[in-house]
Amino acid sequence: MNTREIVLDTLLALEREGEYSHRLVKAVLDKYDYLQARDRAFIKRLTEGTIERRLELDYYLNCYSSLPVRKMKPLIRCLMRMSVYQILYMDSVPDSAACNEACRLAARRKFGNLKGFVNGVLRRISGEKSALPLPDREKEPEKYLSVKYSMPKWLVELWMDEYGRDVTAALLKGLMEIHPVSLRFAASLSRGEREALCRDMEGRGMELAQSPYLPYVCLVEGHGENPALLPAFAEGKCTVQDVSSVLAVEAAGIKEGDFVVDACAAPGGKTILAAEKAGTGRVLARDVSEEKAALIRENAERMRAENIELQVYDAVRRDEGLEGKADVVLLDVPCSGLGVMGKKRDIKYRVSEENLPGLEELQRQIAAASAGYVRPGGILLYSTCTIRRAENEAMVRYITEELGFEPMPLEGLLPEMLLKEKEELEEARRKAGKEEAWLTEDEKKACIQLLPGYMGTDGFFIARFRRPQR
């Protein structure tokens, strides 16, 4: 089986079918699970890298090709992109091999008449790869960052407006870095039991690193065994959950015996951790479809979380029967997902500037419908996996001013190291004249924007509020 041809067919399927890349890549790897780990790692790296760097690859191809990328046949377009990615970013692949294999694939797929074109463009890029042209960094900073980090220009402009050029550059670089799988151990495990499990995983070829923020989270950095195939995973001793999601539950301050409502719960990571923290309490987990509910159920059963009640329920609908009953409401609302582009690499090509106002309205509707579930003195924890003021800081103001909640400080709930990184980020924004001056000091203390390049997490936003006693 030709691994490059598998990648080519995967890229073509993405163009034709519009499937999300992380789902399709997983399906392809499952289909070819009989291949050696080295070959599967090659397929994953080349497919995901080509998708992630698509804008940059197209820029260089347009510089060296007489035929614009948009006018190429879909197969040739995908073939050229994946070949340029190998030349620029895969040191283990000789440039000559990338060029020769591209020509062979073109001929094999009945485009033999284009072998000369394919070879000529790739050879030119290979010969000049140490000095490829980029937009002028000073004259066109937005275009420069857009090409260098393969990010749509409108998103670069948005972040430069909200964070300034230096922070935006660090953010874009952070989104491009390798994002290891994050494993959270069950809260019931002792430190010794966690350490024993880590030793077992390392014995299976996994490279582990302790999360700098939480002792019960570790990062899988190597290409060893799939964590989902581990006995500890099947036994409910650990689960895949990004540390940013874990931090959101930490920020809620859930106590033994609490009644927690998770209004948008799929895939269930926060629900399960909330259930572990609530102990003798219970968690009501809701989401909008049976498909999402099934995903929560599967994860909850594997983790032996028995104090969870699961319901299919649309969070925009207000449930009067829940009014004033919850000690904590978790509100991880649907969002643009701009903070998880390092894992879902095609989000940046799917998000449209025109559709974002509709998301903001949906978030307000969910917050308004769910706010009443919080008992007087109870906690509302708002979170998103995005990096955008209108979905994050603006919602802080909406929840305090329109819904009447009090902002509550995160100090004492989140790790000191993380709060220090927050201060460093805020100082960088102040220097760029981009601080959130319109938020009150109490509101600033109640929220945190986790930012790749500054924190070792996905891009994630967390804000904590209390319903007044009156």
Side-chain angles (χ1 to χ4, degrees):
M1 178 62 64
N2 186 313
T3 53
R4 287 181 175 84
E5 191 162 13
I6 293 172
V7 174
L8 177 60
D9 286 334
T10 304
L11 295 173
L12 279 167
L14 283 169
E15 283 210 357
R16 285 195 310 266
E17 301 166 14
E19 176 64 279
Y20 279 100
S21 63
H22 64 287
R23 294 176 183 168
L24 186 56
V25 170
K26 182 181 183 303
V28 169
L29 293 176
D30 288 345
K31 178 180 178 181
Y32 295 101
D33 62 353
Y34 58 84
L35 294 176
Q36 292 185 2
R38 177 187 59 194
D39 291 333
R40 295 174 76 250
F42 179 87
I43 292 168
K44 185 176 188 293
R45 166 82 186 279
L46 181 52
T47 305
E48 293 180 343
T50 302
I51 295 166
E52 186 170 52
R53 293 277 182 180
R54 192 181 82 189
L55 289 176
E56 179 192 14
L57 301 175
D58 285 0
Y59 179 83
Y60 293 135
L61 283 168
N62 283 328
C63 287
Y64 288 92
S65 169
S66 58
L67 181 68
V69 172
R70 60 184 172 80
K71 291 188 176 181
M72 294 178 184
K73 297 287 186 181
L75 186 140
I76 296 299
R77 180 165 58 240
C78 292
L79 181 61
M80 297 295 275
R81 285 171 176 164
M82 61 182 272
S83 301
V84 175
Y85 182 82
Q86 292 170 77
I87 291 169
L88 299 183
Y89 291 107
M90 297 184 74
D91 294 337
S92 62
V93 178
D95 291 0
S96 58
C99 296
N100 293 337
E101 288 300 316
C103 292
R104 289 195 188 98
L105 269 177
R108 178 181 172 87
R109 302 299 283 266
K110 305 187 186 308
F111 285 96
N113 60 318
L114 294 178
K115 284 173 58 178
F117 167 76
V118 169
N119 187 63
V121 174
L122 295 181
R123 295 285 179 183
R124 286 187 65 198
I125 291 175
S126 171
E128 299 182 25
K129 69 178 182 180
S130 60
L132 291 174
L134 276 172
D136 189 286
R137 185 172 187 170
E138 298 304 320
K139 294 180 180 178
E140 299 180 285
E142 293 89 352
K143 188 175 181 180
Y144 169 83
L145 291 173
S146 173
V147 172
K148 182 174 177 62
Y149 295 107
S150 203
M151 187 65 64
K153 189 165 174 280
W154 73 267
L155 278 173
V156 175
E157 292 169 344
L158 182 148
W159 286 329
M160 285 186 66
D161 179 61
E162 296 188 1
Y163 289 96
R165 182 162 69 174
D166 292 344
V167 175
T168 298
L171 162 61
L172 293 170
K173 182 179 179 182
L175 286 170
M176 284 297 209
E177 291 172 353
I178 294 174
H179 295 261
V181 174
S182 182
L183 280 182
R184 177 184 71 78
F185 292 106
S188 59
L189 298 181
S190 67
R191 176 178 176 180
E193 288 172 320
R194 295 197 303 264
E195 291 174 349
L197 286 176
C198 286
R199 288 193 296 271
D200 177 69
M201 293 176 192
E202 289 170 342
R204 296 170 182 271
M206 299 173 68
E207 298 176 25
L208 304 181
Q210 175 67 54
S211 165
Y213 303 123
L214 297 168
Y216 60 96
V217 176
C218 68
L219 308 175
V220 183
E221 297 187 320
H223 295 289
E225 188 170 350
N226 181 349
L229 301 178
L230 293 168
F233 186 88
E235 295 165 2
K237 294 178 180 178
C238 66
T239 190
V240 176
Q241 185 177 9
D242 191 79
V243 69
S244 56
S245 171
V246 179
L247 289 166
V249 181
E250 289 286 340
I254 297 167
K255 303 184 296 298
E256 173 72 27
D258 275 351
F259 171 44
V260 181
V261 174
D262 192 349
C264 305
K270 297 182 189 67
T271 293
I272 295 166
L273 180 55
E276 292 176 8
K277 287 183 173 294
T280 57
R282 65 188 180 96
V283 177
L284 174 59
R286 290 174 159 180
D287 220 306
V288 72
S289 69
E290 182 55 48
E291 180 184 6
K292 291 190 173 185
L295 188 57
I296 302 168
R297 185 181 298 110
E298 177 186 344
N299 287 322
E301 289 176 353
R302 182 179 54 79
M303 293 294 289
R304 280 64 165 175
E306 298 179 353
N307 56 337
I308 296 173
E309 179 185 354
L310 187 58
Q311 294 179 354
V312 175
Y313 196 90
D314 189 343
V316 300
R317 291 171 49 213
R318 188 166 185 169
D319 182 354
E320 294 183 1
L322 269 184
E323 291 291 309
K325 293 185 177 179
D327 298 294
V328 176
V329 171
L330 300 178
L331 214 54
D332 190 54
V333 296
C335 68
S336 54
L338 302 179
V340 293
M341 288 190 285
K343 294 175 180 172
K344 300 179 179 179
R345 291 162 177 80
D346 50 352
I347 284 178
K348 57 188 173 185
Y349 309 124
R350 294 172 176 269
V351 174
S352 89
E353 201 170 2
E354 295 74 23
N355 293 337
L356 291 177
L359 264 178
E360 298 158 25
E361 177 59 27
L362 176 63
Q363 290 159 358
R364 288 191 291 268
Q365 289 177 6
I366 293 174
S370 305
Y373 306 156
V374 184
R375 65 165 175 79
I379 295 298
L380 174 68
L381 197 288
Y382 176 87
S383 61
T384 72
C385 59
T386 197
I387 307 166
R388 183 169 169 266
R389 178 187 293 153
E391 297 177 70
N392 294 337
E393 289 89 352
M395 282 296 294
V396 171
R397 177 53 56 89
Y398 174 78
I399 292 170
T400 55
E401 287 199 343
E402 300 298 324
L403 302 183
F405 277 67
E406 300 171 345
M408 295 298 293
L410 295 170
E411 188 175 0
L413 293 166
L414 295 182
E416 290 185 11
M417 177 182 179
L418 187 68
L419 295 176
K420 183 178 180 181
E421 290 169 342
K422 175 192 176 185
E423 292 176 2
E424 292 171 355
L425 174 58
E426 289 175 348
E427 177 60 25
R429 294 182 77 176
R430 275 193 292 273
K431 287 181 179 179
K434 303 294 183 179
E435 64 176 322
E436 304 293 357
W438 48 280
L439 290 181
T440 68
E441 287 303 313
D442 286 342
E443 288 170 340
K444 290 178 184 178
K445 291 176 182 178
C447 63
I448 182 171
Q449 175 70 69
L450 306 181
L451 208 65
Y454 281 84
M455 290 90 164
T457 68
D458 288 337
F460 208 87
F461 184 81
I462 300 169
R464 187 171 190 261
F465 308 90
R466 181 175 63 191
R467 184 175 182 179
Q469 291 282 1
R470 60 183 183 275

